[in-house]
Amino acid sequence: MIPLVRVDNRLLHGQVLEAWMPVLKATEVVVADDDAAGSPLARAAMTLCVPCETPARILRMAAVDFAALAASPAVVLVLVRDVAGLVEATTRGLTPARAPRVNLGNIHFAMGRRPVTPSVFLTAEELEALEALAAAGFTVEAQAIPTDPPYGLDELKRRYAAAR
Amino acid sequence: MTIRFRTRAHVFWRCLFLQAAWNRRGMQNLGFAYAIEPALDALYADPARREEALARHLGFFNCHPYMTAAILGGAIHHEELVAAGEEPGAAPLSYKATLQGPLAAVGDGFFWTALRPFFGAMAALGALVAGWPAVVAAVLSYNLVHFGLRALLFRAGYRQGDAVVGLIARLALPRLADRLRAAGVALCGAAAAAVALRAGGVADGSEAAAVLVVATAAGAGYVALSRGAPLFPATYLVALLGTIVAAVTGWDGRF
Amino acid sequence: MGYLLLGIVAGLAAVERKGFLQAMLSRPIALAPLTGLALGDLAGGLAVAAPLELLWLGAVNLGAALPVHEALGTVVVAGGAVLAGQALGTGVTPATAVLALLAGAPLALLGRRADRFVEVANERLALFAEETLRRHHPHAAVRLNLAGLAMPFAIAALLAPAGAWVAARLAVRLLQAAPSLDGPLSIGWWAFGGLACAAGAKALRARRAGAIFGVSAAVALLIGLGLRVTP
């Protein structure tokens, strides 16, 4: 099963390993990202921080079989780098039935982005894309770590409008 | 073009100020730019190129402050290649972007949640049974490891660039962290015993009772905390309950 | 004079804790004795150091998540206990320590709020640095980094003496009004010490931590009782 798909610019890091994995009781991590999969440095670096007993796979988006992950008995946390990666995943077999929960973890600031939570900065296009995903049946929430309060999409829209 | 040792030492010193202006937007961006500036000054004689280089290092950055030494060393390694025209200006940035997340996880998992609490527990136990010299010894030992690794990582990043990842992998920090955490828990247990003995040693004629109070607080406290009880209310509850129980039974726990 | 030194110690600790160095000097185990030393009572500061260190063993700065301000809390609790001990002429006792703890610990929470405020203020500092760089003053731009140290220093330097004063006054008033509470409050302190050890064991998040904690405590207790060592 896939209890959570997380959008995180940093992909695999401390918040994911130390905070989310235990809470979700996840047994495996799949990083779905073409850049990371194509970079030996990124692959080497990412496997550094994973405890030996946790299998972590770093795959190109095209190589991820969401149907198989959803059907497997393993509890798999899927990581994508950004909202664009999330949208791409939905064109490659990610459906609400296979993975109902989408989590926005860290999306860093860049020009043209507005803060909607302390760790998530969105563009108008991304907000639209997330609305479309919600309409398709995904539960979209922004939450950096499990002990933070989760913010639903309506709240994110309100905050986006209020931010400069 | 390579950078002199003096300049690298200057960068290392400035790296100690990495989080001085930590902010939500760029996180350690200003600190990183501040740290790497002496190296960029040495590499780029042309002010325009120097500013361009500095501007690229003002972008988002966040990593563990100790592990950042490796990234800073590697960034200088790549900046030397950029200055020599052997790499594009994006190379140091992609190095930083690739390593910051994973090395932050390694650093948080080793230094912040294993090594430092281990030495903290050791120093606490030392304070209870041997007084301040034990505290000094524990803090010094921690910093021997801390500064040793920080300097080693900076040097290795500078010398080896991408290959620093292999060195970090060989250090096997996550495995070491597991052992340190288990040892740290054992030290906490010993500290609980030391607190109980101290309480018992000073209580007039109610030694067993004082030991029982401490043991109960430690045992029940552990169970409650691991079931998610919040720390602050638990602190008040335990201190007040201890006081009330003692007031009712007439126990006395003065030094 | 004591309050001035207390403010300086707290300010420096707040800086060492995040902005500069991070060499464990602002952890309670080192900071509480240093606070005691600043007020002329090293032993008094040391007496509260171990439980505070273990209580806040899990107070670490992971990624962007902020922990409680254990350094500010430590200066207030240790400072409050030492000042109360001096005012009463007893030195730091378990009773003054527990009263200083109960009165002073909330400052650790207040300190976290202040940290959030500092992060927002630093955002402006970073923007100003970008602006300064655009105006071709690279040295001035990156030097702004050091300006970020001022606010954490100032906040801790102001809050710590005020907090310690309040904590000490509360402890002194209460113990003067009800001297008979001295004994029971002491047991309250030791009970807190037990909880603090549990908090430390829990914060390490080791596998089978509960078993290790229990066995280690039992073995150490038996050894200690066997040797009749009552340190």
Side-chain angles (χ1 to χ4, degrees):
Chain A
M1 63 179 282
I2 308 174
L4 195 70
V5 178
R6 177 171 167 98
V7 182
D8 196 323
N9 284 181
R10 311 177 63 158
L11 296 174
L12 201 47
H13 65 114
Q15 284 179 358
V16 175
L17 291 163
E18 305 266 333
W20 284 101
M21 298 282 292
V23 166
L24 297 170
K25 299 193 167 46
T27 53
E28 198 183 327
V29 190
V30 167
V31 177
D33 187 73
D34 292 353
D35 287 348
S39 154
L41 182 65
R43 297 173 67 100
M46 259 185 254
T47 47
L48 265 188
C49 58
V50 182
C52 343
E53 68 276 9
T54 309
R57 284 184 284 162
I58 301 157
L59 302 170
R60 305 187 79 83
M61 193 66 84
V64 183
D65 185 347
F66 287 103
L69 290 181
S72 97
V75 183
V76 187
L77 172 61
V78 175
L79 294 170
V80 295
R81 190 186 294 271
D82 44 27
V83 175
L86 183 65
V87 171
E88 195 195 339
T90 59
T91 66
R92 295 188 185 275
L94 182 69
T95 62
R98 288 171 183 160
R101 277 180 78 196
V102 169
N103 164 263
L104 307 180
N106 293 289
I107 301 175
H108 300 319
F109 174 80
M111 292 302 281
R113 293 181 174 276
R114 295 187 193 176
V116 293
T117 77
S119 66
V120 176
F121 297 76
L122 292 178
T123 63
E125 295 74 35
E126 287 174 341
L127 206 53
E128 269 174 40
L130 291 170
E131 279 183 61
L133 292 180
F138 289 99
T139 306
V140 180
E141 280 176 342
Q143 191 179 18
I145 51 172
T147 49
D148 283 348
Y151 296 107
L153 199 52
D154 288 335
E155 176 68 10
L156 298 185
K157 282 195 304 206
R158 200 186 60 70
R159 285 163 168 247
Y160 184 87
R164 285 174 297 108
Chain B
M1 167 96 200
T2 55
I3 288 172
R4 289 190 307 163
F5 177 78
R6 255 185 79 99
T7 309
R8 299 202 309 267
H10 193 187
V11 172
F12 184 76
W13 162 251
R14 284 193 173 194
C15 180
L16 304 180
F17 294 88
L18 181 74
Q19 308 201 88
W22 199 99
N23 62 90
R24 289 274 176 89
R25 219 184 69 160
M27 299 199 180
Q28 299 158 344
N29 62 336
L30 191 47
F32 196 97
Y34 173 72
I36 204 170
E37 193 213 12
L40 301 180
D41 277 356
L43 283 172
Y44 300 103
D46 172 20
R49 283 196 76 195
R50 194 189 302 171
E51 275 174 37
E52 184 199 332
L54 200 57
R56 65 172 163 252
H57 287 292
L58 255 183
F60 177 92
F61 183 80
N62 201 41
C63 190
H64 187 278
Y66 299 175
M67 299 303 287
T68 295
I71 299 184
L72 202 49
I76 299 175
H77 173 95
H78 281 288
E79 283 294 348
E80 285 184 354
L81 296 172
V82 175
E86 291 169 28
E87 271 186 1
L93 290 190
S94 95
Y95 182 81
K96 283 168 68 178
T98 304
L99 288 187
Q100 57 176 299
L103 292 199
V106 174
D108 286 351
F110 180 72
F111 291 107
W112 279 178
T113 63
L115 188 74
R116 197 175 69 180
F118 168 80
F119 277 107
M122 178 176 268
L125 179 60
L128 288 167
V129 301
W132 67 265
V135 175
V136 172
V139 172
L140 279 180
S141 311
Y142 171 75
N143 281 309
L144 216 60
V145 181
H146 149 213
F147 279 113
L149 278 173
R150 218 165 168 173
L152 174 86
L153 290 169
F154 181 66
R155 199 179 114 105
Y158 175 69
R159 295 264 164 98
Q160 305 174 19
D162 293 8
V164 71
V165 174
L167 170 87
I168 296 169
R170 282 196 299 282
L171 291 173
L173 297 178
R175 196 161 4 125
L176 193 55
D178 280 345
R179 288 180 195 163
L180 285 169
R181 285 195 198 106
V185 174
L187 289 169
C188 289
V195 169
L197 288 167
R198 256 189 131 168
V202 291
D204 301 334
S206 46
E207 178 171 1
V211 171
L212 195 69
V213 166
V214 175
T216 309
Y222 184 87
V223 171
L225 291 173
S226 47
R227 295 204 174 151
L231 189 56
F232 260 80
T235 301
Y236 282 82
L237 188 68
V238 166
L240 292 173
L241 266 184
T243 305
I244 292 167
V245 167
V248 170
T249 57
W251 295 336
D252 187 330
R254 275 170 277 191
F255 277 141
Chain C
M1 186 63 194
Y3 286 99
L4 184 69
L5 279 173
L6 202 65
I8 292 172
V9 167
L12 290 177
V15 165
E16 200 273 343
R17 174 172 177 260
K18 177 145 192 183
F20 171 65
L21 207 60
Q22 300 186 290
M24 224 174 138
L25 302 176
S26 54
R27 290 292 309 172
I29 194 65
L31 186 56
L34 288 172
T35 304
L37 200 61
L39 297 172
D41 184 3
L42 171 69
L46 191 68
V48 301
L52 290 183
E53 174 70 25
L54 296 174
L55 175 71
W56 284 320
L57 207 61
V60 292
N61 185 201
L62 298 178
L66 283 177
V68 297
H69 201 314
E70 79 287 349
L72 181 59
T74 298
V75 176
V76 171
V77 173
V82 167
L83 290 167
Q86 287 170 343
L88 291 163
T90 57
V92 174
T93 62
T96 54
V98 76
L99 289 172
L101 170 80
L102 296 177
L107 265 287
L109 298 176
L110 185 64
R112 171 160 61 185
R113 294 192 83 95
D115 278 346
R116 291 218 181 93
F117 175 73
V118 168
E119 288 182 356
V120 174
N122 283 347
E123 214 164 294
R124 266 175 239 147
L125 205 59
L127 282 171
F128 187 47
E130 287 169 28
E131 183 59 34
T132 310
L133 185 63
R134 270 197 290 277
R135 294 211 194 111
H136 309 292
H137 300 298
H139 291 284
V142 295
R143 286 226 159 244
L144 285 169
N145 185 48
L146 299 180
L149 299 174
M151 208 186 279
F153 180 93
I155 290 171
L158 288 173
L159 286 181
W165 182 80
V166 171
R169 244 186 117 68
L170 277 174
V172 170
R173 281 278 174 87
L174 189 73
L175 286 171
Q176 278 173 343
S180 63
L181 272 180
D182 192 27
L185 278 170
S186 307
I187 295 290
W189 169 254
W190 296 117
F192 158 69
L195 175 76
C197 296
K202 158 78 179 21
L204 278 152
R205 290 205 290 190
R207 252 162 302 194
R208 294 191 301 277
I212 299 174
F213 181 58
V215 169
S216 157
V219 169
L221 194 62
L222 287 176
I223 293 173
L225 286 173
L227 295 171
R228 300 306 297 167
V229 174
T230 46

